[in-house]
Amino acid sequence: MAKLAVLASGSGSNFEAIAEAFAESGHEICCLICDRRDAYAFKRAEKFGIQSFYISYYKRERADAELEIISKLEECRADLIALAGFMRLLTPVFVDHFQDRIINIHPSLLPKYPGTHGIQDSFESEDTELGITIHRIDHGLDTGPIIMQKSFSRVGNESLDEIETRIHDLEHQNYPAVLLEILDAI
Ligand code: GAR
């Protein structure tokens, strides 16, 4: 059995998909960490009985907040860290500390549309194929080695909401399975 920690900032629908998949998996989610006190992900953690922590970045050096995150991750003995809508760029010190053990999901076909508006940017593009990327974190913004990409064809007249739903569905179908596969190999 290996342990996964999840970092999120907002709704946490990916976190919930992971929690559902992990329930019968033999692996464990050891904690959820959020940088926003009002993250809906906290409610989802409560529902699954997963311990969760709020770590503030407010009026604080990023490196200082990260030290607190590192200490929580070590306390709960995380083998792997999944970013699931965690909207902060991690410092090289943090990334190197967990070398190759931080995985991210991004709602576009990277290297297209990195950053915090992947869905909006994908929607506004002329691209006929949209999709998601699961990758390891390196020092860049959404640049690390790609583990998996999944795409779908645009019908042509879908609204932003419809595109968002299709992207989230793809994320929920694929992210938990990729994480479980990595944990199986640890
Ligand atoms: C997801 O679409 C994820 O790919 C994206 O944030 C959303 C979080 O949704 N992440 C990024 O844009 C990272 N650059 P959720 O909170 O419902 O899981």
Side-chain angles (χ1 to χ4, degrees):
M1 187 208 56
K3 295 185 178 197
L4 176 78
V6 180
L7 270 58
S9 297
S11 161
S13 69
N14 277 285
F15 166 67
E16 176 150 357
I18 297 165
E20 269 168 9
F22 270 57
E24 310 265 305
S25 72
H27 297 298
E28 183 192 324
I29 300 180
C30 58
C31 70
L32 167 77
I33 293 175
C34 296
D35 61 319
R36 292 182 57 114
R37 197 194 295 277
D38 61 353
Y40 187 72
F42 282 125
K43 297 247 182 323
R44 302 189 199 257
E46 222 176 283
K47 188 169 95 181
F48 285 88
I50 294 169
Q51 66 172 340
S52 57
F53 304 99
Y54 163 58
I55 293 181
S56 172
Y57 276 63
Y58 186 63
K59 289 191 176 170
R60 197 173 182 197
E61 292 292 327
R62 190 160 49 129
D64 184 45
E66 284 183 356
L67 279 182
E68 203 182 329
I69 298 179
I70 290 174
S71 126
K72 283 285 176 235
L73 293 173
E74 288 186 341
E75 235 173 79
C76 80
R77 299 180 175 278
D79 297 299
L80 189 72
I81 299 154
L83 307 184
F86 187 67
M87 295 307 194
R88 303 258 176 197
L89 189 59
L90 298 163
T91 64
V93 173
F94 186 95
V95 172
D96 291 346
H97 189 94
F98 295 104
Q99 218 182 7
D100 292 332
R101 291 194 289 138
I102 314 174
I103 313 294
N104 184 41
I105 187 154
H106 188 77
S108 76
L109 293 171
L110 291 172
K112 286 183 168 179
Y113 320 124
T116 51
H117 301 103
I119 296 179
Q120 180 84 30
D121 293 345
S122 297
F123 174 74
E124 285 172 4
S125 75
E126 301 281 303
D127 302 352
T128 50
E129 287 289 302
L130 304 181
I132 63 157
T133 305
I134 298 169
H135 67 102
R136 289 191 196 267
I137 286 286
D138 68 4
H139 292 179
L141 173 65
D142 300 322
T143 52
I146 290 173
I147 300 170
M148 172 193 275
Q149 290 190 304
K150 289 280 177 186
S151 64
F152 62 89
S153 300
R154 242 170 152 166
V155 178
N157 56 353
E158 293 137 306
S159 66
L160 175 59
D161 278 356
E162 285 164 337
I163 292 292
E164 184 163 1
T165 301
R166 291 188 76 181
I167 287 178
H168 282 310
D169 286 350
L170 258 195
E171 292 186 325
H172 302 162
Q173 281 158 23
N174 290 285
Y175 202 20
V178 167
L179 294 169
L180 284 170
E181 202 173 308
I182 295 171
L183 289 175
D184 279 344
I186 285 179

